[in-house]
Amino acid sequence: MTEFTQGAPFDTFGLSEATLRAVRNKGYEISTPVQAGCIPPMMEGKDVIAKAPTGTGKTMAFGIPIIERIDPESEAVQAVILAPTRELAMQITDEMREVAVCHEGVRLVCLYGGQPIGKQINALKRKPQIVVATPGRLSDHMKRRTVTMGSVKTVVLDEADRMLDMGFIHDVTRILDKIPHRENLGMFSATISREVMDISWVYQRDPEEIMVQATKENKPDILQYRIEVDAEKKVETIVRILEGEQLERVIVFCNTKGSTQRLTKFLELRGIDVDCIHGDIPQKKREAVMAKFREGGLRVFVATDVASRGIDVDDVDAVFNFEVPEENEYYVHRIGRTGRAKRHGVAYTLLSDFPSRMRLNDIERNTRNQIIPAQLTEDGHVVAVEKK
């Protein structure tokens, strides 16, 4: 596995003027390390397996070569990108449209569950060459024969570890088996799990293996605190920190839909602009809530882990773990919603019982994050305390 620690100028990759113009419009001249590692082999049609931290520019690492290789004259689907959640699929589509903006005739569609399938069928009638989708919804369209895979050359699995952990392995393999003329498969993942390696072994041929380590340059600048608090005082603690630290835009993560709803109601009673999303909320409402948060209309956004990888907001002041996540990786992805775009971020985890303390100790040890014990002052400021 080749490790990449530096980027390279975009104009050294042999990209078209249309792509270079779009990249410059986004304000970029130098690629990130994962882009430097992945763009050249994917431009050549090679298989790639890339391990890189969240927030290192993976979408453009596969999006640029996909758009470069699209034949805009063809009306067939030529590339498929699979993502584990609808939020991430929408985020990928938005970013790729920004790259494709100068390429006349290149069309994208985003397919995900929770949206009326008729609307998506109409979008497919516009003959997109690039399909971004969640595995379950793409499988539905393939069964209905509203999308055909016969001309697909490139497939990308984004957040491959998460997608396979969520139980999509059968959908993913079924989709890959239905693409007879695939030329290259790109797999992008924060971790290389056994399931990811199994897919690679079966479906890839001599893949280029790219690794990008978390460094000071690409690792978010996040100060992490653990705060001991009685269970019945958790809501009050969040409110005091919001006021004391003057936080204007935060995300609070809960483990269950019930906790999400209850916390949202409690914060509303305190006069705070808050809304939430979880799996039972209709997709249209979820999109509206996320858009309101992005546009600054909500001070607090409460969510289950379903949203933790799909929130594309660069200026979140802080993340709260109202409950300690059940998986180590959930913690990493939760706190990764703050400290983006080279800004300073803060994460607060509230602990009220022995099991949650043990879980956070395990997370700290296995993710190698430094989580500082802290307490609140009278005016709601958070200060570090000495470990006992």
Side-chain angles (χ1 to χ4, degrees):
M1 187 170 273
T2 306
E3 183 172 351
F4 281 78
T5 58
Q6 292 183 323
F10 279 105
D11 59 12
T12 62
F13 296 139
L15 304 177
S16 66
E17 186 53 42
T19 294
L20 288 173
R21 193 158 65 248
V23 169
R24 290 187 191 116
N25 287 345
K26 287 170 66 69
Y28 301 129
E29 294 285 345
I30 307 295
S31 74
T32 66
V34 71
Q35 292 161 2
C38 295
I39 289 174
M42 288 197 71
M43 290 276 287
E44 294 173 18
K46 293 181 180 177
D47 287 346
V48 164
I49 182 166
K51 177 181 181 292
T54 300
T56 51
K58 286 183 277 187
T59 301
M60 284 176 61
F62 59 75
I64 285 174
I66 283 176
I67 289 165
E68 284 286 290
R69 286 161 56 82
I70 290 295
D71 175 8
E73 301 296 319
S74 170
E75 295 187 338
V77 177
Q78 299 165 47
V80 170
I81 302 160
L82 295 178
T85 66
R86 63 195 79 183
E87 288 82 12
L88 182 59
M90 292 161 62
Q91 180 182 323
I92 291 168
T93 305
D94 290 344
E95 191 162 347
M96 288 190 64
R97 281 192 172 126
E98 290 178 0
V99 176
V101 69
C102 299
H103 288 264
E104 191 173 342
V106 173
R107 296 176 295 279
L108 295 91
V109 69
C110 187
L111 309 176
Y112 50 83
Q115 185 186 53
I117 201 160
K119 184 177 180 181
Q120 294 177 357
I121 290 170
N122 288 335
L124 287 164
K125 287 177 181 175
R126 292 194 283 272
K127 306 295 184 184
Q129 300 99 344
I130 302 170
V131 171
V132 185
T134 53
R137 181 48 64 100
L138 182 57
S139 292
D140 288 346
H141 279 285
M142 290 169 68
K143 287 172 189 169
R144 292 167 181 261
R145 300 189 178 180
T146 49
V147 62
T148 56
M149 301 283 110
S151 298
V152 172
K153 299 290 192 291
T154 298
V155 180
V156 166
L157 309 184
D158 193 19
E159 305 279 17
D161 53 345
R162 174 77 164 143
M163 190 149 46
L164 302 179
D165 285 347
M166 290 171 67
F168 287 124
I169 189 163
H170 296 300
D171 282 325
V172 169
T173 55
R174 196 178 300 119
I175 291 165
L176 290 173
D177 289 339
K178 296 284 187 182
I179 301 177
H181 306 301
R182 175 175 49 82
E183 292 178 358
N184 65 323
L185 170 63
M187 296 179 65
F188 292 77
S189 194
T191 61
I192 304 299
S193 65
R194 172 62 191 272
E195 291 79 10
V196 171
M197 291 305 299
D198 286 346
I199 293 286
S200 175
W201 187 78
V202 173
Y203 291 98
Q204 291 188 311
R205 300 173 301 279
D206 300 320
E208 295 276 333
E209 297 183 359
I210 312 300
M211 180 174 67
V212 176
Q213 296 281 17
T215 66
K216 286 184 179 178
E217 284 70 39
N218 62 43
K219 191 172 183 178
D221 175 20
I222 304 169
L223 194 56
Q224 300 166 57
Y225 291 114
R226 55 190 296 158
I227 301 171
E228 301 274 350
V229 58
D230 292 339
E232 64 272 14
K233 292 186 176 179
K234 279 187 172 184
V235 177
E236 179 188 341
T237 299
I238 291 175
V239 174
R240 287 180 61 196
I241 295 173
L242 285 173
E243 300 307 322
E245 299 292 343
Q246 297 183 324
L247 303 175
E248 294 302 320
R249 178 145 57 172
V250 307
I251 303 173
V252 184
F253 284 106
C254 299
N255 291 348
T256 66
K257 300 166 191 172
S259 294
T260 302
Q261 291 171 318
R262 285 191 298 274
L263 176 59
T264 301
K265 286 192 174 82
F266 286 139
L267 291 172
E268 281 178 342
L269 290 171
R270 304 295 182 99
I272 291 170
D273 292 325
V274 58
D275 210 334
C276 67
I277 68 168
H278 53 70
D280 283 350
I281 289 179
Q283 180 61 24
K284 202 164 187 179
K285 169 80 185 299
R286 289 169 64 173
E287 290 174 18
V289 173
M290 291 182 73
K292 189 175 180 182
F293 183 65
R294 285 193 194 98
E295 292 159 9
L298 290 177
R299 187 178 186 185
V300 179
F301 178 55
V302 185
T304 52
D305 286 293
V306 70
S308 65
R309 293 199 181 199
I311 303 167
D312 186 26
V313 181
D314 284 339
D315 53 351
V316 174
D317 295 330
V319 164
F320 287 84
N321 290 308
F322 187 72
E323 296 162 322
V324 178
E326 295 167 357
E327 301 288 341
N328 295 353
E329 278 195 42
Y330 290 175
Y331 178 84
V332 174
H333 290 294
R334 285 180 181 190
I335 69 168
R337 300 309 94 196
T338 185
R340 292 165 69 90
K342 299 192 176 178
R343 291 183 173 88
H344 173 69
V346 188
Y348 306 100
T349 300
L350 307 183
L351 304 171
S352 59
D353 56 34
F354 182 76
S356 65
R357 293 184 198 105
M358 292 301 98
R359 275 290 307 123
L360 194 62
N361 290 344
D362 183 64
I363 288 169
E364 183 174 26
R365 184 169 57 253
N366 287 292
T367 65
R368 298 180 182 177
N369 280 286
Q370 183 185 14
I371 308 175
I372 303 164
Q375 63 186 20
L376 265 64
T377 63
E378 287 296 322
D379 55 1
H381 288 294
V382 177
V383 295
V385 297
E386 292 291 327
K387 285 188 177 181
K388 296 178 182 177

